[in-house]
Amino acid sequence: AARHPATAELQQLATDVEQAFGQLDRAAEARERELTHCRRVFGVQSQVDQTRAKLQRIMASAQADPQPGESLGQVEAQAKSTAELQHLLLAQSDTLHQLREQVAACAADQAALDPAAVECLPVLAQELQALDAHRDEANGLLQARALQLQAAVETLQLLRETEEVDSWLAEKLKTAGDENYHDMTNLKGKLQAHESFMVEVQAQEPQVRAVVARQRELDEAAASCPPSPLSPTSTATLGAEPLQVHLQALIAQVQTRWQQLLATGQDKGRKLAEANQQLEFGRFVEDNALWCQEAETALQSADFGKDLASVGHLLKRHEVLEAEVQSQGQRMAEIAAQSARLIDAGHFRAAEIQQMQRNIAQRYAAIAAAVAKRGAQLQQMDRVYQHVRDVRDELSWLREKEHLAAKTDLGKDLLSTNNLVRAHQLLETEVAARLPLMDQLGTT
């Protein structure tokens, strides 16, 4: 077939088109690679800017509100916020690592980059180094902040525990300081209640020791910590006073109150026991006082008998009283011994006990003297009535013998006269024998 006159020209045009298309395709591919690399570079630049902004916000947050709160809830919220910032900072550290890898990859393929993009690479590397330093600074602040807040949390927790212990001590000091031993009623019950109270106090000692030891540990931990990058004014406070200073003062108060509670409790226990001893001593004295009252009533009697028989009866009753007085003397000695023991032991009512002992001893001495006096009086009356009886007996004997001596019968013969003489001689002998008794009765 005949060729078209324009065939050769058309073929040349097709070849030219194909070559032009190939050049365009290669140019497009090269352009695409350049744009891709540039986009990567400028994308890194954008991420660097974003990371810088995030680090700035983290740093601003780390530096904001440097003062720990005054309450445990506030400090715990600050600690939670700090932990969240540390988490965000850790995420930015991962981002910075990825950006450094991307910058390194871009630098390895500089031939495919636009000159403007190539010029950005060193700047990006420097910016990443600055961001690394910025991150490290923020990390140091946040770590110091976390340690500070943790210490504040522990201090506030200890403060709360110490305030509870201090409040408990203040309440127990009121109980220990109640001088109910002055009221002598139900002392045994009060003693038992106080013993239970002291058991409760002793059970609290580990808690008191724990808060003191914990405060010492916090002080030692604070002293061993390295210098903090935070401002010195960022320490925890309670009002206008540093928290640690306030806690130390409260711990000192707890220690003082604890010693006061122990001393006051022991003193109250001793005085309750002494009051109970005084109560028992007083009952013993009262029992003896009742005897004294009965003896004093008996001694008030003006009956000394009307005759020898009634005086004898009174003497027998008085002998019983004398025996009681002698037996009571042993009780008086026991009262004196008990009183001396209580006084020597430093009893807080030594003066009252001494006065009780003196009073009962004086009553007993007066009773003993009165018993001796009444006994002497009864003995005197007994002797009087015995003398009266003896005189009456002699008078009766005299009347009998006077009748014999007054006889006028002189006998009718020798035998009868001799009999009368012998009877008279017997009478004279009997009279002579009665003369000493007569003399005694005359001199009594």
Side-chain angles (χ1 to χ4, degrees), residues 252-315:
Q253 179 173 291
V254 164
Q255 291 177 302
T256 300
R257 283 183 168 176
W258 173 250
Q259 295 302 323
Q260 289 176 346
L261 178 59
L262 290 179
T264 305
Q266 291 170 358
D267 182 68
K268 181 178 180 179
R270 178 180 63 83
K271 288 183 177 178
L272 280 171
E274 290 179 355
N276 190 55
Q277 291 172 347
Q278 182 188 7
L279 180 63
E280 294 176 355
F281 176 77
R283 287 173 178 170
F284 186 38
V285 171
E286 286 176 3
D287 291 341
N288 288 273
L290 289 175
W291 176 88
C292 288
Q293 184 176 358
E294 293 174 358
E296 288 165 349
T297 301
L299 290 170
Q300 289 175 357
S301 173
D303 183 11
F304 290 95
K306 298 178 180 180
D307 50 34
L308 188 61
S310 61
V311 171
H313 177 69
L314 290 174
L315 276 172

Side-chain angles (χ1 to χ4, degrees), residues 4 6 60 63 80 95 110 124 130 161 198 224 265 272 297-298 322 337 340 352 405:
H4 191 281
Q63 293 175 337
K80 181 180 179 181
T95 300
Q110 293 185 21
L124 288 176
E161 295 174 7
M198 290 305 294
S224 62
L272 280 171
T297 301
E322 287 178 331
E352 294 181 21

Side-chain angles (χ1 to χ4, degrees), residues 10 18 29 42 47 68 82 109 131 174 176 202 211 248 260 289 293-294 315 334 360 419:
L10 290 173
E18 185 178 357
E29 290 178 357
F42 293 120
Q47 291 181 16
T82 300
D109 197 13
L131 290 178
K174 292 180 181 178
Q202 293 296 338
V211 296
Q248 290 173 350
Q260 289 176 346
Q293 184 176 358
E294 293 174 358
L315 276 172
E334 186 176 351
I360 195 69
N419 289 335

Side-chain angles (χ1 to χ4, degrees), residues 397 400-401 404 425-435:
W397 181 83
E400 178 185 348
K401 299 306 177 183
L404 294 175
Q425 289 175 343
L426 289 174
L427 177 61
E428 288 179 339
T429 301
E430 190 174 353
V431 168
R434 304 285 287 203
L435 284 176

